[in-house]
Amino acid sequence: MAARIRILSENLSNKIAAGEVVERPASVVKEMVENSLDAGASEIVVEIEAGGRRLIKVSDNGCGMSREDALLALERHATSKIVADDDLLSISTLGFRGEALPSTASVCRLTLSSREKGSVEGTEIYAEGGVIRHVKARGMADGTIVEVRNLFFNTPARLKFMKSAETEAGHVADHLTRLALSRPDVRFVYLNDGRVVFRALKSDLQERALSLLGRSMTAQISSVDREDGGMRLHGLAARPECSRSVASHLYTFVNGRFVRDRVLQHAVLQAYRRFLEKGRYPVAALFLSLPPGDVDVNVHPTKHEVRFREQSRVHDFITSTLEGMLHSTPWKQRPAPETVSPGVAGEPVAERRVAEVRDSLAAYQARTSSQESFVMNKAPFRLSAAGIQPAKTSEAAPAEVQEGAGVTQPAPVAGFFSSLSFIGQHAGAYLVCSDGEDLVLVDQHAAHERVAFERFRREFSVGSVESQGLLFPEVIEFSHSESAVVDEHLPLLKKLGFHLEDFGGTARVAQSVPRMLAKRDFIRVLRDVVEELSLLGRSRSFLDIQEEILMRMACHSVVRGVHLMSEAEVAALFNALDSVGFATNCPHGRPVFRRISREEVEKMFKRV
Ligand code: ADP
Ligand code: MG
């Protein structure tokens, strides 16, 4: 019988390796720029066309390669960076596996041009799908130019996973931002379809961070630098007010390499726990250096994860260093969220609740799709999954009229809320009412949120969220990848009530914002919305995101904490509650009202 096991051809194994290393244009950029940095370049230019699908070109002024080395570089496992096993224990370069060039070459049309310092001419190698087609002399400056054309032309499955050019260009910007943050001493230029996205001049970390993450942070940045027991942590952190809802702006580097590490992230959040509510992440660029032997970078194909030899020592060092920094900044005046009295600083409370949205969303959707019936507007109607669809469906003519069937709780009837008699307000947050028989307690925040959410949802589904022009249009600085997301979703943002215009570079100017947010912190909401949008297509569908965005906006449109309401305001709120389709739960799934029956009251006083 013939052997079933075969050794894969070099070309096929490269293609397989490419599956791990070359996920999208941004990964090619990352690998090639890392090679340029390893080659000692002080200037790196990255150009892409059509999101990197047509062209990715990385040019550097590094040490270059001889003809022989350039040819070898395209072979699998060819590297100049490690020689012996032991070298793996002390890696100081970004690359070391000798995989990136051959893997990339196997899935594109690649031109590698290089001229070693001191040699009379350069060499140009052209390969198609990993097969070398020609090698020739080329006049060029010292350094290396890698041109990747028609990425994934021979791997249609990969090609299908490519997103829009804007999205791919945004990923490239993400990677370049990390690389450029890690090396302020190197000049980076990034061009997308001939347009300069950024030009980061040689500078220090502070200047580099501001140029990449937005100058609006100038007054908000503090620096840190501490060495202890062979470890050093240095970098910058922005004040807690600049926090984000995802960790996208928490840049952590280990020995100069960007990593996304659980231990590091936890250590940072631990230090910030008194300054940030749950679910918020600081904006920071933090660099940890430690002896190469104390960290293993060879645990993940993209090297984004690392393993520390002494995990808890690293963790404690980071936490204590950042705590020290936080204590010596004016930010320490800010009370911890737990001790904030709800009446004075409503925002942290609001934020904490926004953070709860994600958790409770699942429960909420499960509940609303479980075909419960509620009696509404005299005729009962069945609330199906459509209940959480845009209001045009949930407001459709009552479906399946079945008198009284399936009612699981004493349900509100037509004008239920307006028919209540309002007795008074309790704790500045609850409305005590009577329906003639039972006591009814209404959670005024949940009620406001419910109304705002329904209003946003209705307006969104029939056109766009009502927006209000700003007397003083507000300039908002985004990071490069955020501005790419903004540009890609301009029409959607407009539908959500945010009218943004270009203001040069990555700045956009808000001409108008959702009316219900005009007097609130709409910039923060907008940033959060942009973050939600950046997840689109990666892990979430538009429908999930749409709901979360509208909830987030609703949550922020409501005044938190103790809020005394006049009778007229209560009446207006109750009218509004009656006019929204389904008012028994706030968008978080918390109840809007609770009933204490007459019988319960009587029991309390031992009358029955
Ligand atoms: P690795 O970076 O893991 O060594 P690569 O496949 O990325 O593997 O690169 C292979 C080799 O090609 C490198 O070790 C280096 O010697 C050489 N090389 C790649 N890119 C450059 C560059 N821009 N300048 C100089 N040498 C380079
Ligand atoms: Mg490399």
Side-chain angles (χ1 to χ4, degrees), residues 31-32 34-35 38 79 81 94-101 303:
E31 293 293 337
M32 296 310 129
E34 286 187 352
N35 281 346
D38 281 345
T79 179
K81 299 171 193 174
L94 294 165
F96 53 84
R97 294 200 189 110
E99 255 174 11
L101 269 177
K303 309 186 193 94

Side-chain angles (χ1 to χ4, degrees), residues 562-601:
V562 173
H563 174 56
L564 299 181
M565 288 180 76
S566 68
E567 275 188 44
E569 282 176 309
V570 172
L573 175 63
F574 284 179
N575 267 328
L577 274 173
D578 284 329
S579 71
V580 303
F582 163 61
T584 53
N585 285 76
C586 85
H588 298 161
R590 290 183 298 112
V592 168
F593 76 96
R594 274 290 159 89
R595 226 174 242 279
I596 302 175
S597 70
R598 181 181 195 136
E599 201 188 339
E600 283 172 84
V601 174

Side-chain angles (χ1 to χ4, degrees), residues 177-309:
T177 299
R178 297 163 190 170
L179 289 157
L181 275 176
S182 77
R183 291 293 301 272
D185 56 322
V186 173
R187 193 172 113 99
F188 284 85
V189 181
Y190 171 33
L191 295 123
N192 178 7
D193 287 331
R195 205 171 53 93
V196 177
V197 181
F198 64 72
R199 194 188 298 271
L201 304 179
K202 189 169 159 6
S203 59
D204 60 13
L205 176 62
Q206 170 123 357
E207 174 54 32
R208 177 62 52 99
L210 293 177
S211 81
L212 292 170
L213 307 180
R215 297 206 171 266
S216 51
M217 295 205 305
T218 308
Q220 330 232 17
I221 278 189
S222 228
S223 64
V224 64
D225 196 349
R226 180 171 158 233
E227 262 185 274
D228 190 30
M231 288 187 280
R232 174 179 178 213
L233 184 73
H234 80 280
L236 303 168
R239 45 190 309 144
E241 284 84 337
C242 298
S243 70
R244 302 301 169 95
S245 64
V246 292
S248 60
H249 284 61
L250 173 54
Y251 297 92
T252 48
F253 302 83
V254 174
N255 288 347
R257 182 194 305 279
F258 172 83
V259 295
R260 238 188 244 296
D261 180 77
R262 227 169 19 86
V263 176
L264 290 187
Q265 191 164 309
H266 188 270
V268 174
L269 293 182
Q270 175 95 355
Y272 269 87
R273 70 192 178 284
R274 296 186 61 74
F275 296 88
L276 287 180
E277 313 94 66
K278 197 163 160 271
R280 302 298 299 185
Y281 297 84
V283 175
L286 298 166
F287 297 81
L288 174 72
S289 337
L290 70 177
D294 286 355
V295 54
D296 187 357
V297 292
N298 194 18
V299 292
H300 192 264
T302 62
K303 309 186 193 94
H304 274 166
E305 287 164 26
V306 292
R307 199 171 291 142
F308 296 108
R309 204 156 57 85

Side-chain angles (χ1 to χ4, degrees), residues 277-342:
E277 313 94 66
K278 197 163 160 271
R280 302 298 299 185
Y281 297 84
V283 175
L286 298 166
F287 297 81
L288 174 72
S289 337
L290 70 177
D294 286 355
V295 54
D296 187 357
V297 292
N298 194 18
V299 292
H300 192 264
T302 62
K303 309 186 193 94
H304 274 166
E305 287 164 26
V306 292
R307 199 171 291 142
F308 296 108
R309 204 156 57 85
E310 294 177 283
Q311 185 169 310
S312 60
R313 200 166 76 90
V314 170
H315 184 280
D316 295 349
F317 172 66
I318 291 172
T319 303
S320 62
T321 305
L322 292 178
E323 277 172 350
M325 177 207 64
L326 290 166
H327 278 288
S328 57
T329 67
W331 314 336
K332 72 171 178 225
Q333 261 63 325
R334 196 181 145 96
E338 303 85 72
T339 62
V340 171
S341 95

